[in-house]
Amino acid sequence: MNRESLFAGILIGLGACGYLALGGIPGAVIFAFGLVGVVLSGVPLYTGRAGVMPLRETHKLLLIWLFNVAGCILLGLLMMSLGGEPVERAQTMVAGRLAQGPWRSFLRAVGCGLIIDISVWLYKRSKSLVPVLFGVPLFIVCGFYHSIADVVYLVAAWKWDPGILWYYPLIVLGNWAGCNLRRVVLPPSSPV
């Protein structure tokens, strides 16, 4: 599972790199490549599994998260070493994210977790990529934060800020909370 989790991080990292390169709506659409790759290959992504794994398997979810992060660190380092406009965009994004403060950052992460969980859930039910192709740009244009993709932005920006110490853990927890909203609202026994 570790290699597969690393590969999932690389896929999401590639999507995040595309977003950094293009920005705006085109970048948000290109970002969907990452999640399409994840759902088609079946590799474990933190935000794809956080809403479906039993709590007793939290240690497995943490391993998935760790290897997803490692994959994104590789892509963040690549972007940082290439420099240019994508790095400037990453620096602007990171500064803007930290300026939101803890509560808004957490809520933005909850929104992302909810959209990603629903996108993956709908894909598994329908085998249609439509929810994924619309879900990814939706969370981006809404200004929601994805804990795995944000690793690319944080590394590519390559500027240390102590705010990252509160920011990143809140994004991880916010994504987990958002991924679990569907499970709370629509229990597994629901006939839907």
Side-chain angles (χ1 to χ4, degrees):
M1 179 184 342
N2 296 343
R3 283 187 284 180
E4 292 85 1
S5 299
L6 179 69
F7 188 65
I10 290 170
L11 286 169
I12 295 301
L14 288 169
C17 289
Y19 181 66
L20 284 177
L22 291 173
I25 300 292
V29 171
I30 290 298
F31 190 114
F33 170 84
L35 192 57
V36 167
V38 166
V39 298
L40 290 179
S41 65
V43 293
L45 177 65
Y46 172 74
T47 51
R49 301 282 172 99
V52 296
M53 289 185 84
L55 289 177
R56 68 181 177 278
E57 294 184 10
T58 300
H59 65 285
K60 290 180 184 178
L61 185 61
L62 290 174
L63 273 177
I64 290 168
W65 168 80
L66 180 67
F67 281 92
N68 288 172
V69 166
C72 281
I73 287 172
L74 295 173
L75 273 296
L77 289 171
L78 174 64
M79 291 305 287
M80 186 263 308
S81 67
L82 295 174
E85 192 175 321
V87 170
E88 293 170 14
R89 191 172 281 125
Q91 291 169 345
T92 301
M93 285 176 63
V94 169
R97 280 162 155 64
L98 293 175
Q100 289 294 306
W103 180 240
R104 285 186 178 159
S105 296
F106 176 78
L107 291 176
R108 288 179 184 272
V110 170
C112 176
L114 177 63
I115 291 171
I116 294 300
D117 176 70
I118 291 172
S119 296
V120 171
W121 179 70
L122 289 172
Y123 167 76
K124 288 180 179 179
R125 291 178 61 92
S126 68
K127 296 301 181 204
S128 169
L129 287 173
V130 171
V132 174
L133 292 171
F134 281 95
V136 172
L138 176 63
F139 91 73
I140 292 173
V141 299
C142 288
F144 295 158
Y145 303 159
H146 190 278
S147 60
I148 305 305
D150 271 24
V151 172
V152 173
Y153 310 142
L154 291 167
V155 172
W158 205 253
K159 287 189 177 180
W160 172 249
D161 186 307
I164 293 169
L165 294 174
W166 63 257
Y167 170 81
Y168 191 71
L170 284 177
I171 300 312
V172 173
L173 291 172
N175 280 173
W176 181 87
C179 287
N180 280 280
L181 281 174
R182 178 189 50 82
R183 190 165 26 183
V184 170
V185 174
L186 189 64
S189 61
S190 176
V192 175

